[in-house]
Amino acid sequence: MQNLRLFIAIDVPDSLKNSLTEIQRTIFADSSVKLVEQQNLHLTLKFLGETPGDKCPDIVQAMQQTVIGCPPFQLRLHGLGIFPTRGNPKVVWVGIGGARGKLITLQQNLEQNLAGFGFPVEGRKYSPHLTLGRLREPLNLNQLQTNIGRYREQEFGAWQVSAIKLMQSTLTKAGPIYKVLATIPLG
């Protein structure tokens, strides 16, 4: 069976994606950043990486177990930041607010349910964020940090999380192409 590059994510509504695209244009005007394409903006719960395709039913079962008793909840996009905060930053992100505790519980339950099917538990603590771009070689890091600072406490909008999705990522020269393999409604 062929390997698939997989991850589990929460989708973001198009209206918020549109707003984030405008922010990308504003803050990345004069830096060398690989922007996340508008259609690819999402909130990752678990990156599975190269996975045998025949494991998809197990992944879907773990996702279904995870959402039992988890009603829809609201998240909001709040503020910008960079990873790592010291040294050479690599990622510009939007923070996640709202029912953040419910999100973290959902992600932890997903980790445990996937572990039952042989998927390794992530070694580092889950840090909910939405990636806007990856820095290659910033041409003007000071200006980029100033631009990010303007949005550090900005509210970008909220949405109701009602499902989690199993996604396939196909890497191409033009960038990744995402395909939804399964949508599991919450509750």
Side-chain angles (χ1 to χ4, degrees):
M1 170 66 53
Q2 176 184 357
N3 278 355
L4 305 174
R5 189 170 193 263
L6 302 176
F7 64 95
I8 299 169
I10 292 172
D11 204 5
V12 177
D14 288 342
S15 59
L16 290 177
K17 289 180 181 181
N18 291 337
S19 298
L20 294 175
T21 300
E22 290 302 316
I23 298 301
Q24 286 175 318
R25 289 188 190 121
T26 301
I27 65 170
F28 299 134
D30 60 354
S31 61
S32 177
V33 175
K34 170 67 173 121
L35 299 178
V36 175
E37 298 288 334
Q38 180 174 340
Q39 69 272 14
N40 290 345
L41 291 167
H42 66 274
L43 176 60
T44 301
L45 292 172
K46 173 79 172 169
F47 180 73
L48 299 167
E50 294 295 327
T51 306
D54 61 1
K55 294 289 282 181
C56 286
D58 291 342
I59 296 167
V60 169
Q61 186 176 347
M63 293 168 67
Q64 291 168 333
Q65 291 170 349
T66 298
V67 300
I68 293 171
C70 179
F73 57 92
Q74 189 174 73
L75 292 178
R76 60 186 171 80
L77 299 175
H78 172 81
L80 297 183
I82 55 176
F83 291 141
T85 55
R86 296 190 179 139
N88 294 326
K90 300 290 183 206
V91 173
V92 177
W93 51 264
V94 178
I96 304 295
R100 189 178 163 97
K102 289 182 181 181
L103 172 63
I104 290 170
T105 299
L106 177 72
Q107 192 277 336
Q108 289 170 342
N109 290 341
L110 179 62
E111 282 278 4
Q112 293 307 310
N113 289 327
L114 286 166
F117 289 101
F119 291 93
V121 174
E122 180 68 40
R124 60 183 173 205
K125 183 178 174 186
Y126 181 63
S127 179
H129 67 281
L130 189 146
T131 300
L132 284 183
R134 289 176 169 69
L135 283 73
R136 294 176 183 167
E137 298 174 25
L139 301 176
N140 188 339
L141 186 55
N142 289 337
Q143 182 62 49
L144 178 62
Q145 288 175 327
T146 298
N147 291 346
I148 290 170
R150 288 189 201 127
Y151 295 98
R152 195 163 307 283
E153 297 301 321
Q154 178 79 32
E155 292 287 336
F156 299 108
W159 81 104
Q160 188 81 357
V161 175
S162 59
I164 59 176
K165 296 183 178 191
L166 175 60
M167 307 290 295
Q168 178 182 355
S169 172
T170 303
L171 300 179
T172 71
K173 290 182 181 180
I177 298 171
Y178 295 160
K179 177 182 174 184
V180 178
L181 299 181
T183 300
I184 310 299
L186 297 186

